[in-house]
Amino acid sequence: MTGSNSPSAPTPTGTGTEQVEVPYNHRHLLGIQGLVPREITGLLDLADSYVGLSRQVDKKRPLLKGRTLINLFFEPSTRTQASFELAGKRLGADTVNMSVRTSSVTKGETLIDTAVTLNAMRPDILIVRHNSSGAVDLLAQKVDCAVVNAGDGSNEHPTQALLDALTIRRRFGRIEGLTVAICGDVRHSRVARSNIHLLSAMGARIRLIGPPTLLPPSAERLGAEVFTDMREGLKGVDIVMMLRLQSERMEGNYLPSLREFYHLYGLDREKFDYANPGAVIMHPGPMNRGVEIESALADDPEISLIQEQVEMGVAVRMSVLDVLSRRLPNGGPKQ
Ligand code: ASP
């Protein structure tokens, strides 16, 4: 264990009743790029205070009472959509889920029309996922409410990076100085991009590991070390962050076969043993068991933080909703 917090001694959690000031100077949350470390730390501190609240029988704190939150998802989602819904409900907002099929209409028309229509219903916060990079920024320019990017194409997924950071911070007591390997389909991953921005801003060392076809062009310019040999790349890392093969974003053949991919880049016990003693495994989900990760490792509570990531997702999204609502017109301080 490289940090101060072991699994048996988790960070003390608040109950969401503490007043946590967050120096956040934006109307929206569109990406991690552009946030400064004290804003990230503020969001994580507030999220930490919501972990305890979600573990109580009464999980509600009606800070967003009277507010309307719309989940607008143009792509499928399980964890992200459910956790934004729960986060909104735990904070007392009226929460509406809209899943939009993009098959029959062009993306541009759908996006702008939908934005203008929803805007007329006067929501306070819009949570948006879209399969095109930049789409959520575009939509944010058309509405009066606060907008949260729940994943845009292969660009950013800021709340995933925040929940990953909270999970890491609670386990290791810090982010600075840790070495994090982000492995697999980095090229198509918005999770990887947001994590690279966040972890490097917070002083972690980042390694990207994958086949050359699945690494982003000019990966070194992202400030990371790049490895195509997984065993080499895992030597001495504290955190192994696995990514899903995102076939929905692949045009053409990136891999000879899934079997070959698992052989070279699938995380199994033998490869994981190259990481530091006390290293942990993370995955944003959904997982392809037997493709990028061996089931037994993913389910090993000693080393897998995957379920904790899901729990932290709700706390982080409560933090984001709380902070953005403070900046809404007539958003005032907490009662
Ligand atoms: N759930 C994450 C995302 O929406 C990761 C993934 O889909 O592989 O980007």
Side-chain angles (χ1 to χ4, degrees):
M1 182 64 50
T2 40
S4 54
N5 291 320
S6 70
S8 51
T11 308
T13 50
T15 53
T17 49
E18 304 80 7
Q19 175 77 49
V20 180
E21 289 301 324
V22 180
Y24 187 83
N25 290 318
H26 313 270
R27 193 173 133 212
H28 308 296
L29 175 62
L30 299 175
I32 297 294
Q33 197 171 25
L35 299 191
V36 295
R38 66 193 188 99
E39 290 175 318
I40 295 169
T41 301
L43 287 168
L44 297 181
D45 290 345
L46 182 59
D48 230 338
S49 84
Y50 280 126
V51 176
L53 183 65
S54 290
R55 290 179 181 177
Q56 292 180 175
V57 174
D58 180 359
K59 301 171 177 55
K60 287 199 128 177
R61 191 161 173 241
L63 276 177
L64 266 65
K65 191 164 183 292
R67 298 289 189 191
T68 304
L69 176 101
I70 301 182
N71 265 333
L72 177 61
F73 279 62
F74 293 84
E75 263 191 356
S77 168
T78 309
R79 279 151 287 267
T80 306
Q81 183 166 331
S83 62
F84 268 115
E85 184 180 359
L86 280 176
K89 286 183 168 159
R90 285 182 189 172
L91 293 177
D94 293 320
T95 306
V96 177
N97 287 321
M98 293 184 58
S99 297
V100 186
R101 289 182 194 276
T102 48
S103 53
S104 57
V105 271
T106 65
K107 288 172 196 156
E109 281 174 345
T110 311
L111 188 66
I112 305 301
D113 286 353
T114 311
V116 170
T117 304
L118 290 178
N119 193 47
M121 296 182 196
R122 297 190 168 271
D124 297 291
I125 305 181
L126 209 48
I127 314 297
V128 187
R129 168 170 289 189
H130 199 278
N131 52 343
S132 298
S133 301
V136 182
D137 287 48
L138 181 66
L139 185 143
Q141 293 164 30
K142 308 282 175 195
V143 296
D144 303 310
C145 59
V147 175
V148 180
N149 182 0
D152 64 322
S154 53
N155 181 40
E156 281 237 34
H157 191 352
T159 55
Q160 177 72 45
L162 288 164
L163 76 87
D164 289 342
L166 182 61
T167 307
I168 292 170
R169 210 179 69 163
R170 288 170 62 86
R171 176 70 170 220
F172 290 90
R174 67 198 163 94
I175 296 173
E176 192 172 4
L178 295 174
T179 303
V180 184
I182 304 179
C183 311
D185 185 3
V186 183
R187 186 189 189 102
H188 299 103
S189 176
R190 53 198 177 205
V191 173
R193 232 162 298 281
S194 289
N195 264 304
I196 292 167
H197 292 311
L198 190 151
L199 294 168
S200 52
M202 301 306 283
R205 283 185 294 272
I206 299 160
R207 297 185 187 173
L208 304 180
I209 304 175
T213 48
L214 293 182
L215 290 168
S218 56
E220 284 92 352
R221 271 203 280 140
L222 296 167
E225 276 185 280
V226 178
F227 294 83
T228 51
D229 180 326
M230 193 169 189
R231 291 174 183 81
E232 274 304 306
L234 289 182
K235 279 184 191 161
V237 308
D238 301 297
I239 294 148
V240 185
M241 198 180 273
M242 299 306 299
L243 300 170
R244 181 177 65 91
L245 277 181
Q246 289 147 92
S247 41
E248 74 274 23
R249 286 188 234 295
M250 294 183 193
E251 281 162 22
N253 283 335
Y254 284 80
L255 298 168
S257 72
L258 290 184
R259 214 180 135 141
E260 169 100 352
F261 178 77
Y262 184 69
H263 177 63
L264 293 172
Y265 298 102
L267 188 67
D268 54 17
R269 178 69 63 176
E270 184 269 323
K271 295 192 196 80
F272 182 65
D273 281 345
Y274 283 84
N276 271 344
V280 294
I281 298 168
M282 300 176 73
H283 193 305
M287 265 185 285
N288 292 311
R289 292 169 183 267
V291 175
E292 70 262 356
I293 188 164
E294 183 188 290
S295 245
L297 283 188
D299 297 334
D300 183 341
E302 289 296 310
I303 52 174
S304 171
L305 299 185
I306 296 170
Q307 292 311 317
E308 172 134 5
Q309 286 174 271
V310 178
E311 182 184 3
M312 293 308 122
V314 179
V316 151
R317 286 160 183 139
M318 289 171 83
S319 165
V320 168
L321 297 180
D322 178 350
V323 166
L324 291 181
S325 74
R326 296 178 194 182
R327 295 182 58 84
L328 286 170
N330 62 33
K334 293 180 182 181
Q335 303 298 306

